[in-house]
Amino acid sequence: MHLRGIALASIFSAVSLPAHAQYEQQLGPLAGAVKQQMLEGWTAGVQDGWFTLHNANKADSEQTLYMNVGPAPESGRVTDVNVVVKSPNPKASIGVALSNRANKSLCLLELTADKNTLLFCLQGQNRRDIASLPNIAKLDGTDRIRVVELPGAARFIVNGQQIGDVSNEPATGAELGIMAYDVGTFGVADFKVTMTGGQSGAAPAAGTLPARGGNAGGGTAQKPQAPAPAAGQGGGDYNPALPGEGPYPRFGGDTMRIVSVYIGIMRSIFMHEFGHALIGELELPSTGAEEDAVDIYSALQIVEPTMYPSDNKEVNTMAQDAAKYAALQWYYSGKVAERRGADASSAWQDEHTGDLKRFRNMLCIMYGGNPAVFESIAKHVGLEDRTRARCADEFNKQNRAWNKILAPHTRVGTWTPEGQQPANAPGAPVKVVFQPSKRKIGNLFANNLSEAISNNIKLLGERYVLPRPINVVFKDCGQLNAWYSPREGSITMCYELIENIAVMISDIEMGTVGGEVAAQGGGAPGSAAPRQQPAAAPGQGLPASAIDELKDFGVPATTMLFTAPYKGPTPNKIYRAQVITTADLVGMIKKDKNLLIVDTSGLRDTVPIGYPLADAGSDGSVTDHLQQGFDAWLLKNNGGDRKAPVVILGAGMNDRSAYNAALRAGTLGWTVYWYRGGVEAWAANGLPTTSSMPKK
């Protein structure tokens, strides 16, 4: 089936953003500065929802990102941003700056790694300190800096507390942005610049800022006389959020991943329903179960763009990742059902094959069509060699069958040489409508993706000779569903179904709860939850005080193994093993130099006497073949003494593979200690890892 694979590139090209787009969610209007203003020795990236600046070893270096804004309007302007800093140097800092580089002037509010808040202005070489306040910064991912400007004056606020005011400073009215200083990892998110528009209550009254020519405010941290406007109020918000209700999984702010997930979900569902439409509209024969047949049609359509790549590497990567997610959704769904103990009493009566079997059938077609792209998934899920050997044959047979069945209804063309209809054969179109939604994800499709998706779907009407129009409607349905209606000749795509699958993938891969970062203190997901802090680069461990190794994430202990990919919050208790902290492990090592420590993280950097054994943390069951092999390995490496202690660790408290391995070993009867904090906590406490040990 040689559908023009390049045609799908129109979707990815249309939704792919400029080079700086991967930072727009975190930096908003400042994103464009990244490509032009990065300095040597500094790197930019996105991690855990943060835009990150990293400086590994260039001490006393400053990295700034500026945008031209000009003088503040009479009605006021508000800059609001979420920041965090991690550095071994207590003077390292991240902050918001007002700058006029033409006259070498700057006013900067910065938060330092030792929790000091500083406000000062520079004019050439002359520095004027305005405020220095300890312990206002929390450095826990919740710190917010707000700058409220009127013409010629500005007020600086941190976490709701007024730090100081400036007026008649030459730095105002030109540029604003962020500045990171010294070595470390610096996080920035939710950068917004809002014009208040003169609405009542949206901007501070002129009297709440110092009179022009008056003295700057001191560092008394008094509350402002009038509340600063909330970001997003009034007009001119440069970074509007998606309208609507419900979750919007952001997958760490990675634009390519966001596009791949949502397009992959949509393509899998739509092509399945379009397969039904082809059978119904063209009266095609289907000797097997129709649901299985259209799953195969969907898989053939999804793998095809990966087989015929474009010249755009980024588009090709997104097409491949979208194809992977189109299949993985069935794997994840099946595994979730298994863990929940889904009732199979009536499953045999369902017209749909079980999710894991659907996944196997679709993956086999995709693997057979493009083994190189899908090899990683095949290995990850344990697709057996005997199955892989049959996949190329399955792909060829199914591809030939669908080509033969559809050839009498297909227009001949460069990408459809098997078509038996003339290229100009008359036929009905495929029409597409995206209705407005009450859901955020619905509006993502309706507002951002609709044009590109519509153009791609309409190509199907150009390929096939259809007897009547097929009307495709994306809409709120009030149910998790999608369907083809033979009576109406229509396909209905429910936003709720796409949202449900996206949330499931996010919860499994990102450790979110309901598609959002879980709030601390038992709050509802998304209710002003502290943002996950970006992980430090190798060698830049968190300060010891930042690691609570027994923190309760609200995940209950279980006797079931966590399923791949093993990323997400872990319980703070475990059956058949004992949880230990860094202090406990240090004491155990001092007492027993031959202590057996097993690391399931797969990281190159681990505790000095740890054995890397990633497979020990695999999912499956505690009665599978891996269990026997793990027991034999432990016996060999622990002198055959089951009473001798075994310590299991992973990358950190969000590495569920270590929990799995500890549960496996405990079930086998070993004396097991689970070091929950893992490599992350070990490094955070300043202890040496394999990468920091001197080479012999």
Side-chain angles (χ1 to χ4, degrees), residues 95-111:
V96 174
L98 303 179
S99 174
N100 188 328
R101 286 180 283 183
N103 59 25
K104 300 181 180 180
S105 58
L106 168 80
C107 286
L108 173 67
L109 183 141
E110 60 181 3
L111 309 184

Side-chain angles (χ1 to χ4, degrees), residues 307-322:
M307 297 162 57
Y308 303 98
S310 71
D311 295 329
N312 188 319
K313 291 184 179 180
E314 186 177 80
V315 168
N316 294 337
T317 298
M318 283 192 285
Q320 293 170 8
D321 289 347

